[in-house]
Amino acid sequence: MPARVHALLVVRPDGRIPVDLHLRRTLSALQAQTRPVDALTVVLCGDDAELRGIANESGAEGIIAASRGTTFAQALAMASHRLRGDAVWLLAQDTAPAPDALAKLAGALETSPSMAFAAPKLVRWAHADRIVSLGVTMTALGRTVVLAEDELDQGQHDGRDDVLGADVRGILVRADAWQELGGLDTALAGADEGLDLGIRARLAGRRVALAPTALVAVAGDGVAAPPSGRASGLRVHRAYVRRLAQLHRRLAYAPAAAVPLHWLSLLPLAIWRTLADLVAKRPLGIGPDWVAAVTAMLRPAAVLRSRGRIRRSRTTSWAQLAPLRMSRAQLGQRLGVDDEHAVGGGRDELHFFTGGGAWVVLAFLVLSVAAFPALLAWPALGGGALAPLRTTVAGLWADAAFGNRPVGWQLVGPADPFSGVVAALGTLWPFEPSRALVALWVLALPLAALGGWFAATRVTSSATLRAFVAIAWALAPTLLSALVEGRPTGVLVHLLLPWLLLTASVAHRTWSGAGIASLLVLAVIACSPSVAPALVVLWTVALILTIAVRRGRGTARVLWLIVPTVVAFSPLVWHRIRQADPWALLADPGVAAALSGRVDGVIDRILLAAGFPTVDPAGWSALLGANASTWWVALLVAPLLLLAVTAVQTRRIVPVAVLLLTAVVGMVTALITTGVTVAASGSTAVGIWPGAALSLAWAGLVGAAAIALHLVPVPRLVRAAAGAVAVAALVACAVPSLTASVRGATALTNGPTSTLPAYVAAEAGGGRGEGTLVLSPLADGSIRATVVWSGTEALGGQTTLLSAHAAATPDDITLARLTADLVSESPDDAITQLAEHGIGFVLVTIDADESDAARATRLGAQTALDQRERLDNVGDTGNRVLWRVSDEVAPRRVADSVADTARTVAVVQLGVIVVALLLALPTAASRAASRRKPRIVGLERSRS
């Protein structure tokens, strides 16, 4: 047994922990040792009068003052100059040994002269029956593995004595070994110090032993090891120091010839680990990985010192350490997830098929085919706000990129994020992308029922109520109006919202949910920017609830929800701010079309608040006649509204409050936006469609109604009758919309597959990229001029930069002057300007219901164009007349600065999308963790 034991105690003040209480307990434990220490030196890192007073009262033979930033290894190096004895005991302010700890450590150290140090069993500060650490090893690649941690101490590891290393806290080191090995490596930054000391001891021909019966309680203050705790900042710090220690040890342990290769691999490894962290749902580890990699690269002197220390003391080969390392198979077995044991009964089965969900979806598929029978034979959809899609996938994604816009005279700038949604939709049918819109219309009702059913799994476990939600969501007036009027943005928002609510409601639990929800938030706002303020309000509430109820756990996941949207919209926001036109950001993307009358008057606003986005509520005016009164249609949704309100009588206060807040925020947004006009189609103002906000409100109402039908304290028969009445009323309300296609009362048409003549589509869309000047005479005798590039005015090529701007731009003025020159008797300079700008065609449209003024303007324009010698009349297609520019047409060019900006924007935006997708990918561990949680949100709180 060592004749003299010198204890070195390191103390550091920290505002987040009760250092004085920890220090007093540690000092009391030292004084209570059955085998007392022979000398005590305290290293006080930081100026604290109270701690200095406690140290003075401890009877320490010396107190060393150091700066607050002094690490544990540096503090021990300072105290080692005063070392007197045969062994040194490494302690910190939060390492309180049991009364017999030193005696048992000294006994273990005495078993062999080759023993370098003995390590105790570390247990929790307040629960001595829980193991914190007992022995440490590493893999072949240097990964640190604690042999026993966070386990109930039942003596299961007390037979283990020979290890590669140990946690540095509380170890008893022979004084000669301490001097020979040079103490702890200060370059490790506080992690793996005991492991590194054990490895160097082994290389020096010494051994490391465990003393499992010697107990030392630790609190995790972060003085002698990375701090414990679940706060994000602490987890980031632990990840950084552990990764830095691993990289430093890799450089220090590698053969000399391999060190440059390891050094060069640090950044590629950081990239690889970034992808792995995203897939494994550990995004908080990305920053520490990169900082650690860069830090390790910039410390060659520290690596040389560590290698020199190993070289001076080493007497054996590295092969001697192999039996004590953990193999890949052992690590996999240790870290593997046993799904069978991970479930733990926390989640019930979905019962989608046995619970009737599949039958509801199938019923709506049959209903959709019956409601829109002609669509099955159409190659493309037209009418309303619909337009054909590009014929190739490459063209779809080109429309979604920054650069020259596919419409406009010389319009350069960011694409609307909606173009990306269109590109993704068209990619699902790559050979004929326009058919994807046809499929969307045919499948809209069953997809809505499917989304509603799955969203209902967050609020109820009843199969009947899930079916109720699915039916109510599929029969929502907003969806039916969007289908009848031909609004692709409205249809997409309604189909995406239930999946957004399904995933966002558990985003605080899991990174998979947060990753999927963040992409859905982007898609919803891309389709309808006017709902962004409402979603921001709900996101803020979710953030507050996460901080207040979960004490900040999951805050990073909730914060991530808006990151892809912010990145995707940043170029457009910056463009609008530079133009001093921020309100244009609220404009509906896609084709700007004024499809329904303006909501005005008290009755219209009441109907709007009831969920009807048009002045013709659910198509009843068209069915009954223009003069028929339709105020009573609001009564058909009254049962659902009453059910939603009665949900406040249930015990699930938080979910009901959030759902009703969603309903209120959606209604308020719809009422506000219905009076806002930021876009135009020619000379016609186009207001923001309130249907997207009403879909959000409808989601809140349906969810609250489902909770009411499940939990309101009334007889079950009453609840069943109330639900049946609500469904019957919604079915009756939907009759005009579901029969509109059969009655020919929809805006939908068969195609066209291109908005320009086939000749133009073949020439301009065949790779030449020529533009077409489209002249459309208006009812007041004026002419609307538009430039279309690449063969068609595609849905994804639409841009709010053209449809929504407050004042005429220089390009507008140039195009107006050129149009005036073309349709009047002026020199042929206008033709030259067309050719130089890349425009090879001029098209005059003919409206079937044109006014006398429009007809006179059109005939005058045709006459003027026919007289142009450098314009060749291609022909009359019945409702359009086409001319071709006979001069050589210059290709449309992309400026180098625009191309550079486009690449930068694409890399950043695609990078964030890839990150979100990687986060969304489930893993075995994430699936097991999700199954431990109830599927119904707020269920735990409602039962408490």
Side-chain angles (χ1 to χ4, degrees):
M1 186 172 292
R4 286 180 58 84
V5 174
H6 193 149
L8 303 182
L9 178 61
V10 182
V11 181
R12 181 186 299 117
D14 193 328
R16 73 177 184 88
I17 53 177
V19 178
D20 56 336
L21 298 179
H22 290 178
L23 179 58
R24 291 182 189 277
R25 176 176 169 180
T26 298
L27 291 173
S28 297
L30 285 177
Q31 294 172 359
Q33 292 298 303
T34 58
R35 194 288 188 199
V37 298
D38 300 287
L40 172 64
T41 298
V42 177
V43 182
L44 185 58
C45 303
D47 186 13
D48 188 290
E50 183 178 5
L51 295 182
R52 179 172 290 276
I54 297 174
N56 289 330
E57 297 171 358
S58 66
E61 57 87 24
I63 299 176
I64 301 175
S67 63
R68 183 181 292 269
T70 304
T71 65
F72 185 67
Q74 292 169 342
L76 293 179
M78 296 170 62
S80 295
H81 296 296
R82 308 171 63 96
L83 184 60
R84 300 193 309 272
D86 302 306
V88 56
W89 198 10
L90 309 185
L91 301 171
Q93 65 202 28
D94 62 332
T95 52
D100 59 350
L102 180 55
K104 292 182 177 180
L105 286 171
L109 200 62
E110 191 65 21
T111 58
S112 172
S114 64
M115 196 72 66
F117 66 85
K121 179 190 294 182
L122 302 184
V123 296
R124 288 187 183 178
W125 188 261
H127 302 282
D129 59 341
R130 301 293 299 187
I131 301 175
V132 172
S133 178
L134 181 63
V136 178
T137 187
M138 69 176 184
T139 64
L141 296 178
R143 175 175 178 173
T144 303
V145 182
V146 181
L147 296 175
E149 63 175 336
D150 198 23
E151 298 181 26
L152 182 64
D153 186 8
Q154 297 175 318
Q156 67 270 36
H157 301 292
D158 288 357
R160 180 183 295 154
D161 61 350
D162 199 20
V163 292
L164 185 59
D167 193 301
V168 74
R169 292 172 287 184
I171 64 175
L172 184 65
V173 189
R174 287 188 185 275
D176 58 343
W178 181 255
Q179 298 294 345
E180 178 186 356
L181 298 175
L184 302 183
D185 190 345
T186 57
L188 293 174
D192 295 350
E193 292 170 328
L195 173 62
D196 175 72
L197 186 65
I199 291 172
R200 289 189 282 122
R202 289 279 180 178
L203 292 175
R206 294 177 176 269
R207 296 178 56 236
V208 176
L210 291 179
T213 57
L215 304 183
V216 175
V218 294
D221 290 356
V223 177
S228 61
R230 301 185 63 179
S232 297
L234 295 177
R235 285 185 290 162
V236 168
H237 176 71
R238 285 197 298 269
Y240 163 69
V241 296
R242 288 170 178 170
R243 181 58 177 167
L244 178 60
Q246 181 182 359
L247 295 178
H248 177 79
R249 289 189 294 105
R250 185 173 297 172
L251 295 172
Y253 299 165
V259 172
L261 298 178
H262 280 296
W263 188 87
L264 292 173
S265 70
L266 292 180
L267 291 183
L269 280 175
I271 296 174
W272 172 254
R273 285 177 63 88
T274 295
L275 298 177
D277 283 338
L278 291 173
V279 173
K281 313 302 177 288
R282 297 188 302 262
L284 289 179
I286 295 174
D289 277 348
W290 280 94
V291 176
V294 173
T295 303
M297 292 182 70
L298 298 179
R299 300 195 308 174
V303 174
L304 291 175
R305 286 194 299 270
S306 298
R307 294 181 64 84
R309 186 182 291 110
I310 294 174
R311 185 174 57 253
R312 286 190 296 271
S313 61
R314 176 182 168 187
T315 60
T316 62
S317 68
W318 284 93
Q320 301 296 322
L321 276 61
L324 296 173
R325 287 179 173 175
M326 180 168 285
S327 67
R328 188 183 186 92
Q330 290 172 325
L331 180 65
Q333 183 179 4
R334 180 180 180 84
L335 300 180
V337 178
D338 189 346
D339 289 341
E340 186 175 327
H341 293 86
V343 174
R347 173 167 294 191
D348 59 344
E349 295 298 326
L350 275 172
H351 301 296
F352 176 68
F353 292 95
T354 59
W359 291 106
V360 174
V361 174
L362 181 61
F364 273 101
L365 177 60
V366 174
L367 178 62
S368 179
V369 173
F372 302 100
L375 269 64
L376 298 175
W378 291 357
L381 282 182
L386 290 161
L389 273 60
R390 298 290 182 197
T391 56
T392 64
V393 172
L396 290 170
W397 290 104
D399 285 347
F402 185 100
N404 292 335
R405 305 304 338 128
V407 292
W409 172 252
Q410 197 172 2
L411 190 57
V412 178
D416 291 330
F418 176 65
S419 298
V421 177
V422 173
L425 177 64
T427 304
L428 298 178
W429 205 302
F431 301 106
E432 291 182 275
S434 290
R435 286 190 180 273
L437 273 181
V438 179
L440 177 68
W441 243 251
V442 174
L443 298 177
L445 289 176
L447 287 177
L450 180 68
W453 193 92
F454 273 93
T457 63
R458 295 297 184 207
V459 296
T460 179
S461 58
S462 168
T464 302
L465 292 181
R466 291 174 179 177
F468 166 81
V469 173
I471 294 171
W473 186 253
L475 295 180
T478 50
L479 174 62
L480 298 178
S481 296
L483 290 172
V484 170
E485 289 193 346
R487 293 186 181 271
T489 55
V491 172
L492 287 169
V493 166
H494 197 84
L495 296 182
L496 292 171
L497 273 178
W499 300 104
L500 173 57
L501 298 176
L502 175 74
T503 54
S505 60
V506 294
H508 59 281
R509 294 181 183 175
T510 166
W511 276 108
S512 292
I516 299 172
S518 67
L519 294 175
L520 292 171
V521 169
L522 170 58
V524 168
I525 296 180
C527 294
S528 181
S530 60
V531 302
L535 292 181
V536 168
V537 170
L538 296 177
W539 172 78
T540 304
V541 171
L543 192 61
I544 293 173
L545 288 175
T546 302
I547 295 173
V549 178
R550 294 175 55 86
R551 299 180 181 178
R553 287 181 287 117
T555 302
R557 301 185 188 104
V558 177
L559 287 172
W560 171 260
L561 292 179
I562 65 169
V563 172
T565 302
V566 171
V567 173
F569 273 87
S570 290
L572 186 61
V573 171
W574 176 248
H575 187 91
R576 289 299 191 183
I577 290 176
R578 291 180 61 189
Q579 291 182 328
D581 194 14
W583 292 110
L585 291 167
L586 298 176
D588 290 326
V591 178
L595 302 179
S596 57
R598 182 182 178 87
V599 174
D600 195 12
V602 176
I603 299 299
D604 288 346
R605 292 186 179 276
I606 291 175
L607 289 169
L608 180 69
F612 299 97
T614 62
V615 293
D616 181 4
W620 281 96
S621 293
L623 181 66
L624 301 178
N627 297 325
S629 176
T630 56
W631 62 267
W632 53 269
V633 177
L635 298 178
L636 295 176
V637 299
L640 181 70
L641 298 177
L642 292 175
L643 284 173
V645 173
T646 58
V648 298
Q649 300 179 18
T650 67
R651 294 171 296 169
R652 297 181 61 190
I653 299 174
V654 174
V656 169
V658 172
L659 287 169
L660 291 180
L661 176 64
T662 302
V664 171
V665 169
M667 287 182 184
V668 171
T669 302
L671 290 170
I672 293 175
T673 56
T674 190
V676 177
T677 300
V678 292
S681 176
S683 59
T684 304
V686 178
I688 296 174
W689 192 59
L694 289 179
S695 289
L696 183 64
W698 195 261
L701 292 173
V702 172
I707 293 179
L709 289 173
H710 194 191
L711 298 175
V712 167
V714 296
R716 179 176 299 180
L717 184 61
V718 174
R719 293 196 301 248
V725 170
V727 169
L730 292 178
V731 171
C733 183
V735 168
S737 297
L738 294 176
T739 60
S741 179
V742 178
R743 294 183 288 109
T746 71
L748 303 177
T749 62
N750 182 4
T753 57
S754 174
T755 60
L756 299 179
Y759 180 81
V760 177
E763 291 290 321
R768 299 176 60 179
E770 295 181 4
T772 302
L773 176 62
V774 181
L775 304 179
S776 303
L778 302 178
D780 59 359
S782 60
I783 293 180
R784 178 192 177 190
T786 307
V787 178
V788 180
W789 302 88
S790 301
T792 187
E793 196 170 359
L795 180 62
Q798 304 296 317
T799 174
T800 54
L801 299 181
L802 184 65
S803 63
H805 55 276
T809 64
D811 287 345
D812 294 334
I813 297 173
T814 300
L815 182 58
R817 289 175 177 172
L818 176 63
T819 302
D821 290 342
L822 281 173
V823 299
S824 61
E825 296 182 3
S826 62
D828 279 353
D829 291 345
I831 306 300
T832 302
Q833 192 173 356
L834 285 177
E836 291 177 348
H837 193 67
I839 296 177
F841 301 93
V842 179
L843 181 69
V844 175
T845 64
I846 305 173
D847 190 349
D849 299 323
E850 66 180 354
S851 64
D852 292 339
R855 183 172 184 275
T857 299
R858 176 178 58 80
L859 293 176
Q862 289 181 218
T863 301
L865 293 172
D866 284 335
Q867 294 175 353
R868 300 285 182 181
E869 295 183 357
R870 294 153 64 192
L871 273 182
D872 299 332
N873 192 314
V874 177
D876 187 345
T877 62
N879 61 349
R880 293 175 294 192
V881 184
L882 179 66
W883 288 264
R884 180 156 181 52
V885 176
S886 58
D887 287 356
E888 183 176 353
V889 178
R892 191 184 190 192
R893 300 186 183 278
V894 179
D896 292 340
S897 59
V898 173
D900 293 341
T901 303
R903 282 191 290 269
T904 302
V905 170
V907 168
V908 174
Q909 292 182 338
L910 289 177
V912 173
I913 298 299
V914 168
V915 170
L917 288 172
L918 291 175
L919 289 175
L921 290 175
T923 63
S926 67
R927 288 194 298 268
S930 66
R931 284 194 287 268
R932 297 189 192 104
K933 303 284 187 178
R935 181 174 283 109
I936 300 175
V937 177
L939 186 61
E940 304 96 332
R941 295 185 61 82
S942 67
R943 289 177 176 176
S944 60

